[in-house]
Amino acid sequence: MNQIQTILEHNKEFVANKEYEAYRTGKFPNKRMVIITCMDTRLVELLPRAMNLRNGDVKVIKNAGAIISQPFGSVMRSVLVALYELGADEVVVVGHHECGMAALNSDDMIQHMLERGIDQKVLDTLEHSGIKLKKWLRGFDNVEDGVKSTVEIIKNHPLLPPRVPVHGMIIHPETGALDLVVDGYEN
């Protein structure tokens, strides 16, 4: 049985046994927050537990490194939707120690693309079209700088409602210990 079949078999039992009832909640975040965090697998259950969050408490946006690299990209759009349409009134950026984006090497990733079947002609076409893959695939030098950079992009966004606190934290992926690196209430 493949992974998708396994998931679907489990889901049939999950629904039949009404296990979903424990997770019922509304679409608006109870704690009126939106969190941007990393997609690291170690944070899936650890982050909510470390922050005392339950299903329905916050909106969570995950991507590689908890980074907003484009002020008018999909991550920032999701932040604005959470703030304007879904009742959030605070933003928290949560990076983590040992993040793969701190070690991301764009040359290595491009080589992996070639090894997995992306044709060099495709990469050349993108480059000639003005897409700088090495810059686009770049991570950050350290997690604190990555968090602070994303907080600054959000805080300085022209469509951010006035007086919305934007916080920055770093979580340790082994212990769940949180460090506050930007206190949004101070600004």
Side-chain angles (χ1 to χ4, degrees):
M1 189 178 314
N2 65 40
Q3 291 289 342
I4 296 299
Q5 290 171 331
T6 301
I7 289 169
L8 291 173
E9 285 300 315
H10 169 81
N11 182 257
K12 285 180 186 175
E13 292 177 30
F14 179 85
V15 173
N17 295 333
K18 297 185 178 187
E19 293 177 53
Y20 55 84
E21 289 179 354
Y23 303 98
R24 282 194 171 152
T25 187
K27 70 178 184 176
F28 300 103
N30 297 328
K31 293 190 176 183
R32 301 183 61 87
M33 279 186 172
V34 56
I35 295 174
I36 301 156
T37 192
C38 187
M39 63 185 192
D40 189 295
T41 56
R42 297 172 291 180
L43 304 182
V44 171
E45 292 188 38
L46 179 66
L47 180 74
R49 289 291 192 112
M51 295 181 82
N52 192 31
L53 301 173
R54 298 177 46 111
N55 196 45
D57 279 349
V58 298
K59 294 296 182 185
V60 179
I61 302 165
K62 292 186 173 204
N63 69 5
I67 296 172
I68 293 181
S69 57
Q70 300 173 7
F72 288 91
S74 63
V75 177
M76 191 63 210
R77 179 181 59 222
S78 295
V79 169
L80 294 173
V81 168
L83 293 169
Y84 284 106
E85 301 297 322
L86 299 174
D89 54 21
E90 292 189 55
V91 181
V92 184
V93 177
V94 184
H96 68 93
H97 296 287
E98 302 168 11
C99 184
M101 288 300 285
L104 185 66
N105 181 307
S106 57
D107 290 326
D108 289 346
M109 189 162 171
I110 290 169
Q111 182 59 40
H112 294 150
M113 290 176 182
L114 292 166
E115 291 167 3
R116 291 193 61 182
I118 301 300
D119 193 301
Q120 180 64 51
K121 291 178 184 177
V122 171
L123 301 178
D124 293 342
T125 299
L126 291 172
E127 189 72 26
H128 295 310
S129 299
I131 298 170
K132 306 297 181 202
L133 283 179
K134 287 185 181 186
K135 183 179 179 186
W136 185 62
L137 295 173
R138 186 176 47 104
F140 46 76
D141 292 330
N142 69 63
V143 67
E144 187 169 334
D145 289 345
V147 168
K148 287 179 178 179
S149 175
T150 293
V151 166
E152 285 303 308
I153 287 171
I154 297 168
K155 281 177 30 179
N156 294 309
H157 199 281
L159 299 177
L160 186 76
R163 296 173 295 286
V164 168
V166 183
H167 314 280
M169 295 182 174
I170 299 173
I171 188 170
H172 193 286
E174 298 297 322
T175 66
L178 289 164
D179 294 312
L180 183 65
V181 295
V182 178
D183 184 344
Y185 297 135
E186 290 183 355
N187 299 320

